[in-house]
Amino acid sequence: MPSISSGDLSSPLDGGVDFGSVKTVPESHAWQEPEGFSLESSDLDGIPVIDLSTPWWGVAREIGRACASWGAFQVVNHGVPDNVLKRVEEQGWRLFSLPPDQKLKAERGPDEIAGFGAPRITHFFPKRMWTEGFTVFGSPLEQARRLWPHDHMQFCEVIEEYQSEMKSLTVKLLELILEWVGAGKEDLNWEVGDSSGVTQLNSYPSCPEPSRAMGLAPHTDSSLLTVIHQSNTSGLQLLDASGQKWVTVPPVHGALVVNIGDLLHILSNGRCRSSMHRAVVNRVHHRLSFAYFCFPSPGATVEPLIGPDEPTALYRSVTWTEYLRIKGTLFNNALFSLLLPDSGFSTRLQQPFSLLPSQSRPSVMQESH
Ligand SMILES: C=C1C[C@]23C[C@H]1CC[C@H]2[C@@]12CCC[C@@](C)(C(=O)O1)[C@H]2[C@@H]3C(=O)O
Ligand SMILES: O=C(O)CCC(=O)C(=O)O
Ligand SMILES: [Fe+2]
C-alpha cells in the first residue's frame, strides 16, 4: 500500500506523497490531458546551441535570433567550470535524499522566497506537481543550517561558488542581448554587476505513471533570464514559436540552457520572447535541475528600451519585486496586465507574446476548487 500520509496538504511534499514509495500516481497528482498538455513532443527543430567563444558580433546576432523566436537557447563554451556543475549536482542529490521530515525543517514560509517546498505556482493548478524544490535567495546559510546543523559549510560554499559563476555568465548574456537590441548597459536603470540572483534546485523523482503526472507545469520565468543546468536526464520542454508543440531540450554535456524571462520581454519591449516551458517526468530516472534566475538590482525599475527603430513602449516599467507580486496573483496574465493602453494591443491574443491562451492559462486545467 503506498505510504500516502494523512494528505496534509500543507506539506511541501505535495499532500504528503512520499514520491519514493508510491506505485501509482495518487488522484492529487493525476493530470488529465486537455489540449496543450499533451505529452508528445518533437525533437525535429531543436533549440539553437550557441558557442560563446565565437566572435562577439556574430554571437550577439545568433542570440538575438534565438531570443526573438524560441525565447531560449543552449550555450557551450560558457566559462562555467565543469567541476562547479558537478559539485552543485552532488549537493543537490545530497539535499533531496534527506528524509522528508529533515527537509521540512527548511520549509519555505508562505511569503518567503527561500526554502524547501512545492513550486510557488502550485496553487494556480488543481493538481499537485511531481516535484520538490529548494530556493536560495542571497546566502544559503540559514536554510542549510536547518538541513545539516553540523555539516552545512560544504553546501554553502558550493552554492555560493555556483551563484558567482552564474552571475558572471548572466552579465555576459545580458550585454550580448543589449547589443542585439541596439542598447548598452548604460541604458539600464541598474549596474549589471549589481544584478540579484535566485537559485532554484528542482528534484523530479522517477514516477510510476509519467503520462499521468506533471513535473513542473507550463510557465514563463519572472526573471530577466534563467540559466539551467540539467542532470543527465531529459525533461525540460519548451513551447515552440507557433505555440503548438512542446519540444524537448536534450541535456547536452557541457551546455547550459538559457530561458528568457518576463522581465527581459518587458525590457526588450517585446522583442525577446519569454519562453513558456515545463518539465515532464519519467518512469526510470530521478532528474535534478539547477536554475539560476537573474534579476535587476533590488528597487531598480525594468523599463522598455525604446529608440528610433522602437519608438513606442508597450509595457509600463516595473521593479522585480512588484512583478513577482503581480505574477503571484495573475500568473500567465501578468505581462498582459502591464501592457500600456496606447500599445495598440487590445486583446491578449494580439500582444507580441506568442502564447496561445489554450497553452498557457491554468484555467485550461482550472477546475472549480
Ligand atoms: C524569484 C522567484 C522566481 C520563482 C518564484 C521566486 C522563487 C522561485 C522561482 C520559481 C522556480 C520554479 C518555477 C517558478 C515558476 C516557481 O514556481 O518558483 C519560478 C518563479 C518565477 O519565475 O516566477
Ligand atoms: O527542471 C527544469 O529543467 C525546468 C526548471 C524551471 O523551469 C524553473 O526552475 O523555473
Ligand atoms: Fe522555469
Side-chain angles (χ1 to χ4, degrees):
M1 191 44 195
S3 67
I4 298 178
S5 68
S6 60
D8 156 22
L9 285 181
S10 67
S11 143
L13 293 190
D14 289 359
V17 167
D18 173 359
F19 293 115
S21 69
V22 287
K23 295 288 171 281
T24 64
V25 171
E27 209 31 55
S28 58
H29 291 66
W31 288 61
Q32 315 310 325
E33 278 216 354
E35 175 212 354
F37 277 78
S38 59
L39 284 168
E40 91 266 347
S41 68
S42 75
D43 303 349
L44 304 179
D45 41 5
I47 321 294
V49 179
I50 295 172
D51 180 341
L52 287 190
S53 66
T54 52
W56 179 267
W57 38 269
V59 73
R61 193 183 52 223
E62 266 185 75
I63 285 185
R65 285 210 189 111
C67 290
S69 55
W70 287 97
F73 49 96
Q74 297 216 59
V75 284
V76 290
N77 292 323
H78 43 66
V80 179
D82 248 5
N83 182 267
V84 171
L85 299 174
K86 182 172 130 327
R87 281 183 290 123
V88 81
E89 207 175 310
E90 283 164 2
Q91 294 303 316
W93 291 117
R94 186 172 162 236
L95 191 167
F96 291 113
S97 59
L98 286 172
D101 55 339
Q102 189 62 24
K103 289 183 272 191
L104 284 172
K105 288 190 177 132
E107 189 173 2
R108 184 188 310 122
D111 302 326
E112 288 170 341
I113 287 185
F116 171 81
R120 190 166 167 267
I121 56 170
T122 298
H123 69 274
F124 288 113
F125 296 91
K127 299 298 180 135
R128 321 290 290 204
M129 301 175 211
W130 205 264
T131 186
E132 53 188 31
F134 185 80
T135 314
V136 179
F137 177 36
S139 161
L141 184 58
E142 191 190 328
Q143 286 76 24
R145 231 200 318 247
R146 293 193 198 135
L147 295 172
W148 301 286
H150 309 294
D151 182 12
H152 51 265
M153 283 324 289
Q154 192 189 19
F155 179 82
C156 294
E157 281 156 16
V158 170
I159 290 290
E160 276 164 359
E161 191 178 354
Y162 174 79
Q163 290 191 151
S164 127
E165 292 288 350
M166 282 297 160
K167 181 165 180 175
S168 43
L169 173 57
T170 50
V171 167
K172 203 182 297 176
L173 292 170
L174 271 180
E175 288 174 347
L176 285 164
I177 294 169
L178 286 171
E179 153 120 6
W180 175 68
V181 296
K185 53 190 180 186
E186 63 284 351
D187 299 304
L188 299 180
N189 293 332
W190 73 95
E191 272 303 306
V192 277
D194 297 344
S195 300
S196 321
V198 170
T199 298
Q200 173 76 8
L201 290 74
N202 296 302
S203 163
Y204 307 93
S206 58
C207 175
E209 299 170 288
S211 65
R212 295 185 68 234
M214 179 57 71
L216 190 57
H219 68 278
T220 59
D221 292 347
S222 303
S223 54
L224 287 161
L225 47 84
T226 306
V227 180
I228 301 173
H229 166 60
Q230 10 179 21
S231 64
N232 192 24
T233 300
S234 65
L236 172 61
Q237 297 184 332
L238 303 181
L239 192 61
D240 74 347
S242 73
Q244 298 299 335
K245 228 175 3 185
W246 289 101
V247 179
T248 299
V249 184
V252 173
H253 184 72
L256 292 171
V257 183
V258 182
N259 272 333
I260 301 304
D262 297 349
L263 289 177
L264 188 48
H265 177 80
I266 294 171
L267 183 69
S268 67
N269 206 37
R271 284 170 281 181
C272 293
R273 180 168 171 257
S274 177
S275 85
M276 175 63 71
H277 55 282
R278 70 183 186 182
V280 295
V281 291
N282 74 85
R283 194 185 315 277
V284 179
H285 299 291
H286 184 158
R287 175 175 178 267
L288 298 190
S289 73
F290 303 80
Y292 177 85
F293 293 77
C294 171
F295 288 102
S297 54
T301 48
V302 174
E303 221 169 316
L305 290 167
I306 52 177
D309 55 356
E310 186 72 27
T312 317
L314 301 182
Y315 295 100
R316 72 167 178 77
S317 57
V318 68
T319 65
W320 72 272
T321 38
E322 273 173 0
Y323 188 71
L324 273 193
R325 226 184 348 268
I326 297 166
K327 188 80 174 284
T329 46
L330 301 180
F331 192 38
N332 285 326
N333 294 309
L335 274 178
F336 183 61
S337 76
L338 296 175
L339 273 176
L340 287 170
D342 54 356
S343 65
F345 297 102
S346 55
T347 71
R348 185 177 157 63
L349 265 172
Q350 290 173 322
Q351 65 168 292
F353 188 64
S354 62
L355 192 63
L356 300 182
S358 64
Q359 302 279 0
S360 65
R361 272 203 305 272
S363 51
V364 171
M365 293 294 295
Q366 202 73 46
E367 285 147 17
S368 52
H369 269 296

